[in-house]
Every structure is written in structure tokens, then in C-alpha cells.
């Protein structure tokens, strides 16, 4: 019984795997856009270093997500 369930789950995960890679690329693009918005928001204020670092982190994680999605395809 366990083998039947395992085979069913494996087939299901294999069928959605390519969709997850595309989702990863899309999520990376959204993160990069969010990071750029945060960096542009930082230009107006001089005291908010957290926003600047948050923007940089978003951009870096977005780039990693896009590269990872392309490599897994």
C-alpha cells in the first residue's frame, strides 16, 4: 500500500516540477522589482539604512531565484 502511495506522489510531484521552476523565475523577478523600488525609496531619506539593505537583499535573493530556476529547467 505504501509503495502505491509513494508512486502516486512521485508522479504528481514530477508533473508539477516544471511549473515550480517557472514560478521561481517569476518570484525572482518580483523580488528584483521590489528591491529596486526599495532602493529608489531610500534616495529621499538619509536615515533609513534598513530600507536600503532590505532592497539589496531582495535584489540578491531575486537574482539567485532566477538563476536557480533556469538551472533546474
Amino acid at each position: 500500500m505504501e509503495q502505491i502511495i509513494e508512486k502516486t506522489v512521485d508522479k504528481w510531484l514530477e508533473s508539477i516540477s516544471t511549473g515550480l521552476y517557472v514560478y521561481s523565475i517569476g518570484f525572482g523577478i518580483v523580488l528584483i522589482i521590489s528591491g529596486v523600488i526599495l532602493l529608489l525609496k531610500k534616495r529621499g531619506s538619509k536615515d533609513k539604512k534598513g530600507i536600503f539593505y532590505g532592497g539589496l537583499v531582495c535584489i540578491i535573493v531575486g537574482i539567485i531565484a532566477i538563476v536557480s530556476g533556469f538551472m533546474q529547467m
Side-chain angles (χ1 to χ4, degrees):
M1 182 69 179
E2 290 177 12
Q3 291 177 348
I4 295 172
I5 294 173
E6 183 179 349
K7 287 180 183 179
T8 305
V9 170
D10 285 343
K11 286 181 184 180
W12 182 73
L13 288 175
E14 286 178 15
S15 68
I16 66 166
S17 66
T18 56
L20 292 176
Y21 303 144
V22 173
Y23 178 75
S24 174
I25 293 170
F27 186 67
I29 291 170
V30 169
L31 277 174
I32 289 174
I33 292 170
S34 300
V36 169
I37 290 172
L38 288 174
L39 287 178
L40 293 177
K41 189 179 238 188
K42 166 64 173 111
R43 285 188 178 182
S45 63
K46 304 214 187 260
D47 296 333
K48 297 183 179 179
K49 289 185 180 180
I51 292 175
F52 177 75
Y53 292 130
L56 286 178
V57 168
C58 284
I59 291 173
I60 292 169
V61 171
I63 291 170
I64 291 171
I66 290 173
V67 170
S68 173
F70 277 124
M71 291 180 73
Q72 291 176 357
M73 283 183 156

